């Protein structure tokens, strides 16, 4: 993308784009930072990030941050997520079932987990493909001025061999 000096990028209305594709409505979260976390349950390698997002949800100001877990159901039924919800305690979090991967495919999400973070204005602020740790997420959320109310994160104890 090349712009002339007098041109500016126009804000991309992510909420309107999502509604044009599916029934994921982001407008109730207007004025909040939104983390869109794409994952599926087909591979155990993709689900370890969910406990990290649960800790972020528990520890950070939910008035300033909405986390939307987007279960990409490409070939899996929604029931694949039921046991995981109870096991991880994520039943109260916002979870969207992306049936047939319509949303993921439209955004070019071909690796999971994958995260798109929108700022309070609804514009993309950052994105990550693959796993990301609690500390890196906390540091980034601090840049977006999302207050950390507590810290439940306990780094794994390393053992010397």
């Amino acid at each position: 993308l090349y712009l002339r000096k007098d041109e500016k990028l126009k804000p991309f209305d992510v909420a309107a784009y999502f509604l044009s594709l599916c029934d994921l409505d982001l407008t109730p979260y207007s004025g909040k930072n939104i983390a869109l976390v794409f994952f599926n349950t087909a591979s155990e390698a993709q689900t370890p990030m969910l406990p990290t997002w649960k800790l972020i949800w528990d520890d950070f100001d939910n008035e300033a941050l909405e986390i939307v877990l987007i279960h990409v159901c490409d070939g899996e039924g929604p029931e694949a997520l039921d046991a995981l919800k109870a096991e991880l305690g994520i039943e109260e979090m916002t979870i969207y079932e992306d049936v047939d991967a319509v949303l993921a495919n439209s955004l070019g999400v071909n690796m999971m987990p994958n995260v798109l973070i929108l700022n309070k204005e609804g514009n993309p602020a950052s994105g990550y493909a693959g796993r990301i740790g609690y500390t890196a997420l906390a540091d980034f959320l601090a840049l977006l001025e999302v207050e950390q109310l507590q810290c439940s994160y306990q780094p794994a104890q390393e053992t010397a061999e």
Side-chain angles (χ1 to χ4, degrees):
L1 174 67
Y2 295 96
L3 299 175
R4 294 190 317 260
K5 287 184 180 184
D6 60 333
E7 288 183 312
K8 293 184 180 179
L9 283 175
K10 295 178 183 172
F12 179 67
D13 190 342
V14 176
Y17 178 68
F18 280 17
L19 281 175
S20 74
L21 297 170
C22 61
D23 60 353
L24 176 56
D25 186 4
L26 299 178
T27 55
Y29 316 126
S30 181
K32 286 184 170 187
N33 297 286
I34 304 171
L36 303 166
V37 182
F38 292 84
F39 73 99
N40 70 25
T41 57
S43 165
E44 287 185 29
Q46 296 178 19
T47 55
M49 194 169 162
L50 294 178
T52 301
W53 282 103
K54 172 68 165 104
L55 285 175
I56 293 290
W57 188 74
D58 289 341
D59 291 355
F60 284 80
D61 180 7
N62 292 324
E63 295 299 315
L65 174 68
E66 184 66 34
I67 298 171
V68 179
L69 301 175
I70 301 174
H71 178 222
V72 181
C73 313
D74 193 13
E76 344 173 341
E79 64 281 350
L81 188 58
D82 291 343
L84 194 60
K85 284 182 190 178
E87 177 186 333
L88 299 176
I90 59 174
E91 300 96 331
E92 294 180 20
M93 295 178 74
T94 303
I95 301 174
Y96 176 76
E97 297 285 346
D98 187 13
V99 179
D100 298 325
V102 171
L103 189 55
N105 289 335
S106 73
L107 294 172
V109 173
N110 54 13
M111 176 184 171
M112 284 177 256
N114 204 305
V115 179
L116 173 61
I117 298 179
L118 308 176
N119 63 17
K120 290 184 270 191
E121 291 77 34
N123 298 314
S126 187
Y128 303 96
R131 292 168 44 179
I132 182 170
Y134 181 97
T135 303
L137 283 169
D139 290 345
F140 184 75
L141 293 174
L143 293 174
L144 292 175
E145 300 176 350
V146 179
E147 183 180 1
Q148 185 171 2
L149 305 174
Q150 64 185 22
C151 184
S152 303
Y153 174 68
Q154 299 295 322
Q157 298 294 320
E158 295 182 5
T159 58
E161 299 267 344

